[in-house]
Short mmCIF file of all heavy atoms in Angstrom, two decimals:
data_model
loop_
_atom_site.label_atom_id
_atom_site.label_comp_id
_atom_site.label_asym_id
_atom_site.label_seq_id
_atom_site.Cartn_x
_atom_site.Cartn_y
_atom_site.Cartn_z
N ALA A 27 -70.78 22.27 104.80
CA ALA A 27 -70.28 20.91 104.85
C ALA A 27 -69.77 20.54 103.44
O ALA A 27 -70.44 20.81 102.44
CB ALA A 27 -71.39 19.95 105.26
N PRO A 28 -68.63 19.90 103.34
CA PRO A 28 -68.06 19.56 102.02
C PRO A 28 -68.83 18.46 101.34
O PRO A 28 -69.64 17.78 101.95
CB PRO A 28 -66.62 19.11 102.37
CG PRO A 28 -66.72 18.63 103.77
CD PRO A 28 -67.75 19.46 104.46
N PRO A 29 -68.60 18.26 100.02
CA PRO A 29 -69.28 17.18 99.32
C PRO A 29 -69.01 15.84 99.95
O PRO A 29 -67.91 15.57 100.42
CB PRO A 29 -68.62 17.26 97.90
CG PRO A 29 -68.17 18.67 97.75
CD PRO A 29 -67.76 19.08 99.12
N GLY A 30 -70.06 15.03 100.03
CA GLY A 30 -69.90 13.70 100.64
C GLY A 30 -70.10 13.66 102.11
O GLY A 30 -70.04 12.59 102.74
N ALA A 31 -70.38 14.82 102.73
CA ALA A 31 -70.53 14.82 104.21
C ALA A 31 -71.88 14.23 104.62
O ALA A 31 -72.03 13.78 105.78
CB ALA A 31 -70.41 16.29 104.74
N GLY A 32 -72.85 14.24 103.70
CA GLY A 32 -74.18 13.68 104.00
C GLY A 32 -75.25 14.74 104.26
O GLY A 32 -76.33 14.40 104.69
N LYS A 33 -74.93 15.99 103.94
CA LYS A 33 -75.90 17.07 104.20
C LYS A 33 -77.14 16.90 103.36
O LYS A 33 -78.24 17.29 103.79
CB LYS A 33 -75.27 18.42 104.01
CG LYS A 33 -74.78 18.74 102.60
CD LYS A 33 -74.12 20.11 102.53
CE LYS A 33 -73.65 20.45 101.13
NZ LYS A 33 -72.61 19.50 100.68
N SER A 34 -77.03 16.37 102.16
CA SER A 34 -78.20 16.23 101.28
C SER A 34 -78.90 14.90 101.46
O SER A 34 -80.12 14.77 101.14
CB SER A 34 -77.79 16.35 99.80
OG SER A 34 -77.06 17.54 99.59
N THR A 35 -78.20 13.87 101.95
CA THR A 35 -78.74 12.51 102.00
C THR A 35 -79.02 12.01 103.41
O THR A 35 -79.99 11.31 103.63
CB THR A 35 -77.80 11.54 101.27
OG1 THR A 35 -76.48 11.69 101.86
CG2 THR A 35 -77.74 11.83 99.81
N ARG A 36 -78.16 12.35 104.37
CA ARG A 36 -78.37 11.89 105.74
C ARG A 36 -79.24 12.83 106.53
O ARG A 36 -80.18 12.41 107.18
CB ARG A 36 -77.00 11.69 106.43
CG ARG A 36 -77.10 11.31 107.91
CD ARG A 36 -77.72 9.92 108.13
NE ARG A 36 -76.98 8.90 107.40
CZ ARG A 36 -75.88 8.30 107.80
NH1 ARG A 36 -75.35 8.61 108.97
NH2 ARG A 36 -75.31 7.38 107.06
N LEU A 37 -78.93 14.12 106.44
CA LEU A 37 -79.63 15.12 107.27
C LEU A 37 -81.13 15.12 107.05
O LEU A 37 -81.92 15.05 108.03
CB LEU A 37 -79.05 16.51 107.04
CG LEU A 37 -79.77 17.67 107.74
CD1 LEU A 37 -79.77 17.48 109.22
CD2 LEU A 37 -79.11 18.99 107.37
N PRO A 38 -81.67 15.13 105.78
CA PRO A 38 -83.13 15.16 105.64
C PRO A 38 -83.81 13.93 106.25
O PRO A 38 -84.90 14.07 106.83
CB PRO A 38 -83.28 15.18 104.11
CG PRO A 38 -82.01 15.75 103.60
CD PRO A 38 -80.96 15.26 104.51
N LEU A 39 -83.17 12.76 106.15
CA LEU A 39 -83.77 11.57 106.72
C LEU A 39 -83.84 11.65 108.26
O LEU A 39 -84.83 11.26 108.86
CB LEU A 39 -82.96 10.30 106.32
CG LEU A 39 -83.11 9.91 104.84
CD1 LEU A 39 -82.20 8.71 104.56
CD2 LEU A 39 -84.52 9.61 104.48
N ILE A 40 -82.78 12.17 108.86
CA ILE A 40 -82.76 12.32 110.31
C ILE A 40 -83.85 13.32 110.76
O ILE A 40 -84.58 13.08 111.75
CB ILE A 40 -81.40 12.83 110.81
CG1 ILE A 40 -80.32 11.78 110.52
CG2 ILE A 40 -81.41 13.15 112.29
CD1 ILE A 40 -80.52 10.45 111.20
N LEU A 41 -84.01 14.38 110.01
CA LEU A 41 -85.05 15.37 110.36
C LEU A 41 -86.46 14.74 110.27
O LEU A 41 -87.31 15.01 111.10
CB LEU A 41 -85.00 16.56 109.41
CG LEU A 41 -83.73 17.46 109.51
CD1 LEU A 41 -83.80 18.57 108.48
CD2 LEU A 41 -83.55 18.00 110.90
N LEU A 42 -86.62 13.83 109.27
CA LEU A 42 -87.92 13.13 109.16
C LEU A 42 -88.11 12.14 110.26
O LEU A 42 -89.17 12.06 110.91
CB LEU A 42 -87.99 12.44 107.79
CG LEU A 42 -88.15 13.32 106.55
CD1 LEU A 42 -88.13 12.45 105.30
CD2 LEU A 42 -89.44 14.14 106.61
N GLN A 43 -87.09 11.29 110.47
CA GLN A 43 -87.22 10.18 111.45
C GLN A 43 -87.38 10.66 112.86
O GLN A 43 -88.11 10.07 113.66
CB GLN A 43 -86.00 9.26 111.31
CG GLN A 43 -86.01 8.47 109.98
CD GLN A 43 -84.69 7.78 109.71
OE1 GLN A 43 -83.68 8.06 110.38
NE2 GLN A 43 -84.64 6.90 108.72
N GLN A 44 -86.67 11.75 113.20
CA GLN A 44 -86.78 12.28 114.54
C GLN A 44 -87.87 13.31 114.73
O GLN A 44 -88.05 13.90 115.78
CB GLN A 44 -85.44 12.86 115.00
CG GLN A 44 -84.32 11.83 115.05
CD GLN A 44 -83.04 12.37 115.72
OE1 GLN A 44 -83.09 13.40 116.39
NE2 GLN A 44 -81.95 11.67 115.55
N ARG A 45 -88.60 13.51 113.62
CA ARG A 45 -89.72 14.49 113.63
C ARG A 45 -89.31 15.85 114.24
O ARG A 45 -90.02 16.41 115.06
CB ARG A 45 -90.93 13.92 114.34
CG ARG A 45 -91.52 12.71 113.62
CD ARG A 45 -92.91 12.37 114.06
NE ARG A 45 -93.50 11.32 113.20
CZ ARG A 45 -94.13 11.59 112.08
NH1 ARG A 45 -94.30 12.80 111.67
NH2 ARG A 45 -94.66 10.56 111.40
N VAL A 46 -88.13 16.26 113.78
CA VAL A 46 -87.67 17.59 114.25
C VAL A 46 -88.57 18.71 113.72
O VAL A 46 -88.79 19.70 114.39
CB VAL A 46 -86.19 17.81 113.74
CG1 VAL A 46 -85.70 19.19 114.12
CG2 VAL A 46 -85.27 16.73 114.28
N ILE A 47 -89.08 18.50 112.51
CA ILE A 47 -89.98 19.46 111.87
C ILE A 47 -91.39 18.88 111.86
O ILE A 47 -91.57 17.73 111.39
CB ILE A 47 -89.50 19.77 110.45
CG1 ILE A 47 -88.06 20.33 110.46
CG2 ILE A 47 -90.45 20.77 109.78
CD1 ILE A 47 -87.91 21.62 111.25
N THR A 48 -92.35 19.61 112.30
CA THR A 48 -93.73 19.12 112.35
C THR A 48 -94.36 19.03 110.95
O THR A 48 -94.94 18.01 110.62
CB THR A 48 -94.61 20.03 113.26
OG1 THR A 48 -94.00 20.14 114.53
CG2 THR A 48 -96.01 19.46 113.38
N GLY A 49 -94.25 20.07 110.19
CA GLY A 49 -94.86 20.15 108.87
C GLY A 49 -93.98 19.55 107.79
O GLY A 49 -93.03 18.83 108.05
N LYS A 50 -94.28 19.96 106.57
CA LYS A 50 -93.56 19.47 105.40
C LYS A 50 -92.22 20.20 105.26
O LYS A 50 -92.07 21.34 105.66
CB LYS A 50 -94.44 19.60 104.16
CG LYS A 50 -93.78 18.98 102.88
CD LYS A 50 -94.65 19.26 101.66
CE LYS A 50 -95.88 18.36 101.68
NZ LYS A 50 -96.64 18.45 100.40
N ILE A 51 -91.27 19.46 104.67
CA ILE A 51 -89.97 20.07 104.32
C ILE A 51 -89.86 20.15 102.81
O ILE A 51 -90.20 19.21 102.09
CB ILE A 51 -88.80 19.19 104.88
CG1 ILE A 51 -88.91 19.03 106.40
CG2 ILE A 51 -87.44 19.77 104.48
CD1 ILE A 51 -87.95 18.03 106.97
#
Side-chain angles (χ1 to χ4, degrees):
K33 61 183 181 298
S34 308
T35 53
R36 176 64 56 82
L37 175 59
L39 289 178
I40 296 299
L41 295 178
L42 290 177
Q43 291 167 347
Q44 296 191 16
R45 295 197 172 272
V46 177
I47 302 298
T48 305
K50 185 183 286 187
I51 302 171

